[in-house]
Every structure is written in C-alpha cells, then in structure tokens.
Amino acid sequence: MKIEVTQKSRPVLSAEKMAEIQGVISQFPEGKSKSAVIRILHIVEEEAGGWLSPDTMDMVAEILNIQPIEVYEVATFYTMFNLNPVGKYIFEVCRTGPCMLVGSDNIIEYIENKLDVKVGGTTADGMFTLKTAECLGACGYGPMLQCGKHYHEHLTPAKVDELIDACRKGEIKANF
Amino acid sequence: MGRKLLLEHIDVPSIETFDVYRKNGGYRSVEKALKTMSPEEVVEEVKKANLKGRGGAGFPTGLKWSFLAKPEGVPRYLLCNADESEPGTFKDRYLMEKIPHLLIEGMIVSSYALGSNLSYIYIRGEYMWVLEILEKAIAEAYAKGFLGKNILGSGFDLDLRVAPGGGAYICGEETALIESLEGKRGNPRIKPPFPAVKGLWGCPTVVNNVESLATVVPIINDGAEEYTKLGTDASNGTKLISACGNVTRGGVYEIELGISVEEFIYGDEWCRGIANNKKIKALVPGGSSVPILPAHLITKTAAGENRLMSYESLADGGFASGSMLGSGGFIVFDEDQCIVRNTWNFARFYAHESCGQCSPCREGTGWMEKVLHRLENGKGNMRDIELLADINKKIEGNTICPLGDAAAWPVAAAIRHFREEFEWHVTHPEDAVKGNYGLLKGITV
Ligand SMILES: Cc1cc2nc3c(=O)[nH]c(=O)nc-3n(C[C@H](O)[C@H](O)[C@H](O)COP(=O)(O)O)c2cc1C
Ligand code: SF4
Ligand code: FES
C-alpha cells in the first residue's frame, strides 16, 4: 500500500467534530478563541490521517478567523505535530537519559532492525513511522514508547513484537 | 511508615470518581475554606505552612500569591502547570491520573484564595488520556455543585478548564506556558513585568505546579500548624519523588521531607536498592537540570553529615558538593553507566528544547551537544573540556529564561565530579567508541 500524498488533504469534518471544535473554542473568553489553536490542531490532525498539510492548517485558520501564518507558527513549534505524511502507526520512543539508563538505545535499534526502518522514517508498506521523543514523563517505567494516545512501558523485544502484531492485526486505533 | 497527605487514598478502588473520593474525605477543604475562611485567611494559612513550590524552583507559594496584583475590574487567573517535561519527573502525571479530584479540589480552594473565577490546567499534549480523566472528573465536580456558579452557596463562581500543549519542554516555564495558552509559540517573555502583574491576556496571573496546588488541600484541612509538624525546619510537609534509572523499584513515592537519602534508595518502602545488585555511581536528585552527585556525596554531605531528602540538605555544599531537590525527579546511575554519554544525552535534550530566542542558549546548547558528542565518540581533545566550561560561562545568566542555566549546570557539575572520565575519553579514543566507560572501567572513586 502506498500513501497518497496530496496537498489537497483537508479533512472533511463531521458535524460531531465541528461541535467538538466549537466546544474547545467556548472554553475561552470571548475574543480569545486563538487560545484553542493547539487543541484544534490535535483534533484535525487525527481526522487528517495523523499529519497536518498546509491546507489543513489553512482550514484551522479559517475556523478561528486568524491568519494562516499564526497557525503555521504554532504547528512548526510544537514537536507533536507532523508536517509530513506518516504511517498508519507512529512509534515514538523516548530517548532521554533516564530511559537510556535502562536500555532505550537497544529498543530503538531493535525496532529499526525488526521493521527495517530508520528513526524518522516510515516503513515501505506505509504501516509504521518510527520517531524518537524527549522525556515523556514515564521515566520510572522505561524503556517506553507512545503509540497514539497510549504509553507502552517496561518495553522488551517481546513486548515490542506483541505491539507490532497488534498493530498489524488492526487491534489498535490507526491514523487512517 | 511515613505519613501520606496526597497519596493516602491512592489505592482505594475507584478513587478517581467523585463519590469514592468524597467518601474518603474529599472536598472538605472546599467546604472549610468557602464557608469559614476569607480568601486572605487561606493565603495566610498557605504562607504559614511554608509550602515551597513543587515545580522545581521551590519558591514559597504563599508569598507568590501575596504578590498578585488586584486592580479593580480586571480578572485574575490561576493556571496549573501540568506540563511536566523535566527528564526524570513523572509525579504530576501519577497524581492526576490516579486521583484527579485532589488537584481539582486544590484548584478550587486556591482559585478562591486568589479571586480567580476562570482557572486552567495546562497539561502537556502527550498526556492526552490524562486530560480526558481530568475533564471527566471536572464534569462530576460541576454536577455536584463544586464548580460553576455560587459554589456551596458561598457566592464564589469558578469555571475550571483543561488545555493541552503540543510537545515542548519550554512550555513548563511559566511565561512560555502563558504564551502557549494564548495560542502562540512557547517563547518565554522578558520579565518584568511578572505574571503576577501581567500574565494571561495581560491580566494578573499565578502559575503553580500540580503538586503545589494539591498540597493546599491538606494544609487547609489540617491547618498550617499540623502541616508544619511534618518535615524539617526548612522543608515542611511531604514531597512526591519520582524515582527512576537503575533502581530496583522505580515509581512515584510520597515521602516525609527529611528522611535520609540512604533510606530512600535502599529502603524496602521505597526504591529497594540498585537494580541487579550493582553499586551506585551517581545521582541526579531533582530532575535533569540539577547538578549530579558522585557516589561519595550521595548519602553523606562533604561535611560528613547524613544527606537528607530535603531542600537544604540536598543543596548542602552549594554547587561544589551539593545539588538540589528540584522537581523531585530522582535519577540513579549504576556503576556501569557512562557519565559522558549521559551528559551528552542531556545536552542534546536542552539543545532540542531551546526555544531559540536568545543566541547564548540557542547556539550554546547546540555547541555543547556537538562537543560532548565528539568527546563521547573518542574524537575530542583536552581543550574540548575547557571549551565546555567556557560555553557554560557564556550562557549562564545571559538568557531570557532559566533554560540556558538549566542546560549549563549539569555539564559543569559532570566535569567537576567526573573530570577523569572525560579525560579518559580523550586518552582512550578506541575504547570510548567500543563501549561505555562504566563497563570498561568500573567505579573509580
Ligand atoms: C525550562 C523550564 C521548564 C519548567 N518546567 C516546569 C514543569 O514542567 N512543571 C512545573 O510545574 N514547573 C516547571 N518550571 C517552573 C515554572 O516556571 C514555575 O516556576 C512553576 O510552575 C511554578 O510553580 P510552583 O511554584 O508551584 O512550583 C519550569 C521552568 C523552566 C525554566
Ligand atoms: S534561554 Fe533558551 S529557552 Fe529560554 S528564552 Fe532564551 S532561547 Fe528560549
Ligand atoms: S526519560 Fe523516558 S520517559 Fe522520561
């Protein structure tokens, strides 16, 4: 399977999602709706297959009635936002000190070999994107990785295998 | 067994729900404060409790509150800092995930004290599932009349909201947090003006850590006098410590301030010693930004006293032979670890997280990372070690926010205590590439 890379990749938002976005905006006082931008970017990124195209960002600017550059500025500053297409699943492995002390390097290498992908890359079949992350606040339970909203902790090669199988079987929520 | 004030009921099944939390004494401090105390009295009580901010800097919470400007007709805001991104720190997540109502309760009482009618919890974006737990708990608190209009008939209104970040350590710095909450890049602001005068949307604002706000609950319930009976003279109460690295049992523990470091590392109730029966080589006691301590300065201070888990004892000896309690991120290194490698790893973290506004920080953190990477990979020379010290001096004190210092201090401390290890990487370049210093050389104390 190949990922379709198109610039016109604006997600179509359901009425339910639009209501959710309105709910986020209403959490801020009148005239301060720009404050909602980060959370809205999280929502639309999920709807858009796990990444933000310029087109998707323009849509957020329209929703909030702000300049597109104000959205680009934010999307490029925060590391959670993907500005390029990603795989069905993203593994973000923590690489920071405390996790390194308990073997995160080995886990990263294991995943690289197992999936034949380098950090920053996506597997040829478009299934997995491998990224590293800085401390995710799970240092006592490392090595760990985040996939979707979930943390997978105390990782071993066997646990990584299980996770990959679960993804392949579609048991875990995918980006698209 | 030490007394617990925050995590006492953590193992009660369903403590994350309003009803169970309430049955276990939850929301009493809201009743007490709103019905029997004036906002000023709440501030006074927190001042008397000598609560030091639990986010890392240890600034007295009551004093911070008393600085809040109160111009007529201008809203004031309380923001909870749940950005928690300092390497080694994972206590706030634990508290919010397991017992979310404790934070909500603390925020209601604190908002009342400060006169905030709209307060926010700013949580790091990676904790999205914790955000959902908080929102569920907040909805319950609204339904039970502890949030919203005229809480418990007191005339006090409060709306409480949660807002996520998007992945940026710098947003834990309070003015960067405010910028981020305004929907912008997380660039720290030049101070003054301080948030207490001009914060969120230009209004007076207080930013406090999750644990600080949660601790207001037992302070109001029991009174400052009872609270200060716990801990040492200068470090009152209890503190959450998140233990990680090469300990047998990592995790979040609530300790009474003043227990010994030795007891915490080796005690059955806490970390249960070093994993795999190894020896301890070093300790970073308060998150990645604080100075590292070599083995001989961990359980004893340079003066030969027992080192205690308290603000003053961990700092004993200053930067020459002490460290800091910081955020309570307690990182333990066993004998097989390489200090140069870890120092490089932390330097890479800071280089990655610098917001890039000030050149000394933006360039300096990048240079330190490069030089350390060179050393770690056997490509450095002796001058590099002096170069690191020099870069350090150029960053320190020359930046808008403390991230620059936070990046510089750990490097300086590592060189101070483990210089021979840095030099070994220069004199043994082939071994340095082959493997960890620790594994090749063992302890050299
Ligand atoms: C780079 C940097 C990162 C910080 N990260 C956090 C954080 O994640 N959580 C936190 O509570 N405080 C953090 N702080 C400290 C905050 O600026 C602020 O002092 C704190 O939230 C105040 O709360 P407290 O007084 O209750 O501790 C950070 C400071 C700096 C300079
Ligand atoms: S010290 Fe670093 S992180 Fe802080 S404002 Fe300057 S460049 Fe940004
Ligand atoms: S260092 Fe990996 S989660 Fe903190």
Side-chain angles (χ1 to χ4, degrees):
Chain A
M1 192 186 71
K2 187 132 177 31
I3 312 167
E4 295 272 318
V5 184
T6 63
Q7 278 304 303
K8 290 267 164 252
S9 49
R10 222 175 235 234
V12 180
L13 296 176
S14 62
E16 199 189 346
K17 280 291 152 192
M18 275 316 285
E20 189 182 334
I21 287 173
Q22 282 311 324
V24 173
I25 294 172
S26 72
Q27 306 212 333
F28 298 95
E30 198 134 348
K32 308 294 181 202
S33 56
K34 181 172 165 164
S35 288
V37 67
I38 296 178
R39 190 153 180 189
I40 294 177
L41 284 173
H42 284 300
I43 295 171
V44 297
E45 187 181 65
E46 202 177 325
E47 293 301 296
W51 71 291
L52 296 168
S53 68
D55 227 41
T56 306
M57 291 189 267
D58 291 348
M59 182 181 78
V60 173
E62 280 165 31
I63 292 173
L64 287 173
N65 199 15
I66 55 179
Q67 295 300 317
I69 182 70
E70 296 177 80
V71 180
Y72 304 161
E73 270 187 351
V74 168
T76 52
F77 184 84
Y78 297 94
T79 54
M80 284 180 79
F81 298 120
N82 298 307
L83 303 176
N84 289 297
V86 290
K88 264 193 148 159
Y89 296 95
I90 307 175
F91 289 170
E92 294 190 67
V93 191
C94 173
R95 66 176 191 182
T96 314
C99 276
M100 187 178 76
L101 291 176
V102 293
S104 60
D105 286 353
N106 299 343
I107 291 294
I108 294 168
E109 202 184 316
Y110 181 80
I111 300 175
E112 282 186 331
N113 291 336
K114 164 118 188 171
L115 295 177
D116 190 21
V117 66
K118 286 278 163 220
V119 170
T122 298
T123 53
D125 61 1
M127 273 294 278
F128 298 99
T129 297
L130 177 62
K131 290 169 69 176
T132 51
E134 295 293 356
C135 180
L136 291 168
C139 329
Y141 324 112
M144 62 82 62
L145 67 76
Q146 179 162 28
C147 177
K149 277 180 196 164
H150 293 278
Y151 278 18
H152 300 267
E153 301 172 334
H154 294 298
L155 289 177
T156 56
K159 276 201 175 171
V160 170
D161 289 350
E162 268 173 43
L163 174 63
I164 290 172
D165 280 348
C167 290
R168 289 222 165 99
K169 287 191 199 132
E171 291 165 5
I172 289 178
K173 190 176 176 289
N175 287 323
F176 50 85
Chain B
M1 268 281 284
R3 245 191 90 196
K4 293 189 177 24
L5 300 177
L6 304 177
L7 305 186
E8 195 183 347
H9 302 296
I10 203 90
D11 292 324
V12 176
S14 304
I15 193 71
E16 74 282 1
T17 62
F18 180 92
D19 289 340
V20 174
Y21 180 74
R22 182 93 170 113
K23 261 192 220 118
N24 285 275
Y27 288 101
R28 272 185 301 138
S29 71
V30 175
E31 288 173 317
K32 182 170 173 185
L34 270 57
K35 288 184 178 164
T36 70
M37 297 169 83
S38 70
E40 294 73 26
E41 281 168 341
V42 177
V43 175
E44 223 19 67
E45 207 62 27
V46 172
K47 253 194 193 165
K48 269 197 268 168
N50 191 22
L51 170 63
K52 292 190 166 75
R54 303 298 197 221
F59 192 83
T61 303
L63 192 61
K64 180 190 274 191
W65 288 8
S66 65
F67 291 154
L68 185 67
K70 298 185 173 153
E72 205 51 49
V74 179
R76 303 189 278 275
Y77 296 104
L78 170 65
L79 309 180
C80 170
N81 189 342
D83 193 56
E84 189 160 67
S85 318
E86 169 99 353
T89 316
F90 49 101
K91 65 188 177 78
D92 297 337
R93 161 196 166 187
Y94 184 77
L95 191 148
M96 294 186 288
E97 199 178 358
K98 299 276 183 183
I99 187 160
H101 284 286
L102 182 65
L103 173 60
I104 297 167
E105 179 176 355
M107 285 203 72
I108 299 169
V109 175
S110 306
S111 299
Y112 172 71
L114 296 166
S116 167
N117 302 114
L118 174 58
S119 299
Y120 289 92
I121 300 171
Y122 179 92
I123 189 167
R124 65 180 299 180
E126 294 90 342
Y127 287 175
M128 204 52 98
W129 85 98
V130 185
L131 176 145
E132 286 166 7
I133 291 172
L134 285 169
E135 287 194 332
K136 209 169 145 196
I138 287 173
E140 284 183 304
Y142 268 103
K144 303 287 179 177
F146 282 87
L147 282 171
K149 293 251 170 289
N150 192 16
I151 298 169
L152 306 181
S154 65
F156 174 63
D157 305 336
L158 176 63
D159 282 311
L160 179 59
R161 310 261 153 84
V162 196
Y169 166 65
I170 192 57
C171 290
E173 193 280 334
E174 56 184 9
T175 59
L177 185 154
I178 291 170
E179 286 284 301
S180 183
L181 195 53
E182 290 183 359
K184 301 183 217 150
R185 298 165 70 93
N187 287 344
R189 295 177 180 172
I190 296 174
K191 299 189 238 187
F194 288 92
V197 177
K198 255 184 153 189
L200 183 65
W201 301 312
C203 301
T205 301
V206 164
V207 181
N208 272 128
N209 173 258
V210 172
E211 185 188 346
S212 310
L213 293 168
T215 303
V216 169
V217 173
I219 290 174
I220 294 306
N221 276 337
D222 306 342
E225 209 182 308
E226 271 304 302
Y227 182 79
T228 49
K229 283 184 189 157
L230 288 176
T232 68
D233 287 347
S235 304
N236 295 114
T238 64
K239 171 94 188 79
L240 298 181
I241 305 289
S242 56
C244 59
N246 306 119
V247 286
T248 304
R249 199 173 62 142
V252 178
Y253 302 107
E254 181 174 10
I255 59 154
E256 179 175 348
L257 285 162
I259 67 167
S260 75
V261 171
E262 183 160 9
E263 187 185 344
F264 184 69
I265 297 177
Y266 298 98
D268 262 4
E269 204 180 327
W270 323 108
C271 303
R272 298 188 181 165
I274 311 305
N276 308 312
N277 288 319
K278 290 189 182 160
K279 280 185 264 176
I280 193 165
K281 175 174 182 175
L283 168 71
V284 172
S288 61
S289 306
V290 311
I292 193 168
L293 293 172
H296 67 278
L297 291 172
I298 294 173
T299 54
K300 293 260 188 277
T301 66
E305 314 239 339
N306 272 344
R307 179 89 72 188
L308 308 180
M309 301 285 288
S310 69
Y311 289 93
E312 63 279 16
S313 180
L314 280 167
D316 189 276
F319 275 12
S321 65
S323 183
M324 290 195 288
L325 179 63
S327 62
F330 195 88
I331 312 168
V332 172
F333 298 68
D334 72 28
E335 56 194 300
D336 292 346
Q337 301 298 341
C338 174
I339 299 300
V340 178
R341 185 165 179 73
N342 195 75
T343 310
W344 161 68
N345 181 296
F346 281 166
R348 179 178 67 178
F349 170 81
Y350 290 106
H352 185 262
E353 301 298 331
S354 165
C355 84
Q357 276 191 108
C358 336
S359 357
C361 170
R362 182 188 61 238
E363 304 301 325
T365 52
W367 290 339
M368 286 201 295
E369 201 242 285
K370 275 202 205 94
V371 175
L372 282 159
H373 189 257
R374 194 152 83 206
L375 279 164
E376 159 65 6
N377 288 288
K379 298 200 178 84
N381 58 50
M382 290 296 179
R383 277 198 319 274
D384 282 339
I385 302 171
E386 306 325 313
L387 182 61
L388 284 171
D390 188 52
I391 300 172
N392 246 294
K393 276 198 216 94
K394 297 210 159 90
I395 300 179
E396 226 182 324
N398 290 324
T399 57
I400 293 176
C401 92
L403 184 138
D405 296 341
W409 291 342
V411 178
I415 297 177
R416 192 179 314 123
H417 296 302
F418 296 93
R419 181 177 275 270
E420 73 283 4
E421 198 162 323
F422 284 83
E423 291 175 354
W424 178 90
H425 280 76
V426 176
T427 52
H428 297 73
E430 277 141 37
D431 291 341
V433 183
K434 255 187 269 158
N436 250 6
Y437 175 86
L439 282 171
L440 292 168
K441 281 276 289 187
I443 291 194
T444 58
V445 194

